[in-house]
Structures are given as structure tokens and as C-alpha cells.
Amino acid sequence: MIRPKMPANNSNDILKYSGMAFEMAAFIGVGLFLGIQIDRWLKLNQPYGTLIFGVLFLVAYFVKLIRSLSRKS
């Protein structure tokens, strides 16, 4: 059975995209952590800080991702 030859940079792509996934998780985690701390500090009954910081850090990650991908093209 003849197997098709895989491109040599396949492992580099896997590492790049898995790194992006961990970076995204870290961004969201930091945003949620800061939001929870703000909610505790302001003694809020509803998690407004968590929601705001979580979404803010998610948007910041996507802006960073779009900029880095457009720079490499």
C-alpha cells in the first residue's frame, strides 16, 4: 500500500495551532480571574466584572490573533 507523503512542516503547524489554543485559554483565564477579583472587591451580587473582563480579554485575543496572522501573510 502506497501512502501519500505528508508535508514536512506538518508538525510545525500542529505546534503553532496548539500554542494558539493555549494562549487563548490563558487570555480568557486571566480575564475571568481579574473579573472575579473585581466582583469580590466591589462586592457585586451579579458577575458583571467577570462577564466584562472575560469578553474584553476574548476580544483582545482575537485582535492580537488577526494582527499576527495578517502580518505573516
Side-chain angles (χ1 to χ4, degrees), residues 9-72:
N9 63 357
N10 191 24
S11 62
N12 289 338
D13 289 342
I14 291 171
L15 289 175
K16 180 174 81 170
Y17 293 124
S18 65
M20 293 164 105
F22 282 112
E23 192 174 58
M24 181 178 175
F27 261 77
I28 295 170
V30 168
L32 293 177
F33 175 76
L34 290 176
I36 290 169
Q37 296 304 316
I38 293 288
D39 288 336
R40 286 183 185 163
W41 182 57
L42 296 176
K43 296 180 173 106
L44 297 174
N45 292 331
Q46 300 294 323
Y48 296 123
T50 305
L51 178 67
I52 291 169
F53 275 86
V55 171
L56 182 70
F57 274 67
L58 180 64
V59 169
Y61 175 75
F62 279 116
V63 168
K64 179 194 166 305
L65 178 66
I66 291 169
R67 284 185 180 172
S68 69
L69 290 176
S70 66
R71 218 178 304 139
K72 291 179 183 174

